[in-house]
Amino acid sequence: MAYIHTETHRGGRAGWLRAAVLGANDGIISLACLIIGMAAGHASTSSIVLAALAGVFAGALSMAAGEYVSVQSQADLEEADIRKETKELADEPARELLELKGIYRARGLSSELAMEVAKALTAHNALEAHLRDELGIVQQTRAAPILASLASALSFVLGAALPCISLLFTANYLLPVAAGISLVCLFILGGWGAHMGGAPIIPAANRVLILGAIAMVITAGAGFLLGNFI
């Protein structure tokens, strides 16, 4: 009878969760800093709106391309290892069997039991056993470039849209409103990412909040100084 695994784990979310949190975080901080920096530099409202819209498109496309290239590089490495292991299993099956035995002995099994387990797993699916136990490659955590790219781009747009709400306010309130909305959203995002990953929520939320606040303060200062000299 086939064994059906019914427990739920969060490891399968790694492929898209990291990209989604990164994209949303980058979207919020990038657009908030852009708006705050230009507002601190006394740019006109129309200039800020145009820059913000351009920033949304540029950031989303950049995140999509960058995430795809990055994750595809990981996928290429995994595929190279799979091809190498497939060839070794075809050319030297006895050596590969002993390699599995050595892995299981290092994990605490006796020599006889390690060989028995190695033979059983080799008979069941030799490549899967080597990928999992020798290389740490499992299907649930395989690199997914397209999924990561789409998750990153979409989450960037959603994140970037939040500080853009401040553009509905007058110039006098633009800077504090943009900062306030963005900091609240960063705190929520940090907590959500931690919740989805099974980590403590408050420390993660505070970490994202503090880093975002530092970025905004630095950008506001740079915008103010540059606005007075340009």
Side-chain angles (χ1 to χ4, degrees):
M1 181 181 294
Y3 171 70
I4 300 176
H5 186 75
T6 58
E7 292 182 358
T8 57
H9 299 280
R10 294 179 170 87
R13 300 172 179 174
W16 61 266
L17 180 59
R18 181 195 61 81
V21 172
L22 174 63
N25 183 77
D26 196 28
I28 295 172
I29 294 179
S30 294
L31 266 294
C33 288
L34 179 63
I35 293 170
I36 290 171
M38 294 192 70
H42 310 295
S44 66
T45 301
S46 59
S47 296
I48 297 176
V49 171
L50 179 60
L53 292 176
V56 171
F57 283 98
L61 294 174
S62 176
M63 290 295 294
E67 194 69 32
Y68 181 84
V69 170
S70 174
V71 179
Q72 184 60 54
S73 297
Q74 179 186 343
D76 291 341
L77 291 174
E78 291 176 349
E79 289 298 328
D81 280 339
I82 291 173
R83 288 193 300 269
K84 181 176 183 292
E85 203 62 38
T86 300
K87 185 177 186 303
E88 289 176 350
L89 284 169
D91 295 343
E92 301 179 282
R95 178 178 176 276
E96 291 299 297
L97 180 63
L98 291 176
E99 194 171 51
L100 271 187
K101 174 189 173 182
I103 292 172
Y104 300 139
R105 286 210 65 189
R107 294 181 181 177
L109 300 185
S110 66
S111 179
E112 295 77 12
L113 182 56
M115 178 58 79
E116 184 179 344
V117 172
K119 287 180 177 179
L121 292 179
T122 297
H124 174 68
N125 190 324
L127 179 60
E128 180 184 78
H130 280 271
L131 292 181
R132 179 186 62 245
D133 296 326
E134 181 183 349
L135 303 175
I137 299 176
V138 295
Q139 187 61 40
Q140 290 85 349
T141 57
R142 288 284 304 276
I146 295 178
L147 177 60
S149 177
L150 293 176
S152 184
L154 179 59
S155 61
F156 181 94
V157 173
L158 294 176
L162 298 171
C164 287
I165 296 173
S166 63
L167 297 174
L168 300 175
F169 293 82
T170 61
N172 292 334
Y173 297 99
L174 183 57
L175 196 154
V177 170
I181 291 175
S182 301
L183 291 174
V184 169
C185 292
L186 284 173
F187 185 83
I188 294 173
L189 174 65
W192 175 80
H195 170 72
M196 294 297 290
I201 292 176
I202 298 302
N206 285 333
R207 180 171 60 246
V208 175
L209 175 68
I210 292 171
L211 292 174
I214 293 172
M216 292 176 205
V217 169
I218 293 174
T219 307
F224 177 79
L225 292 175
L226 292 173
N228 289 324
F229 285 101
I230 296 177

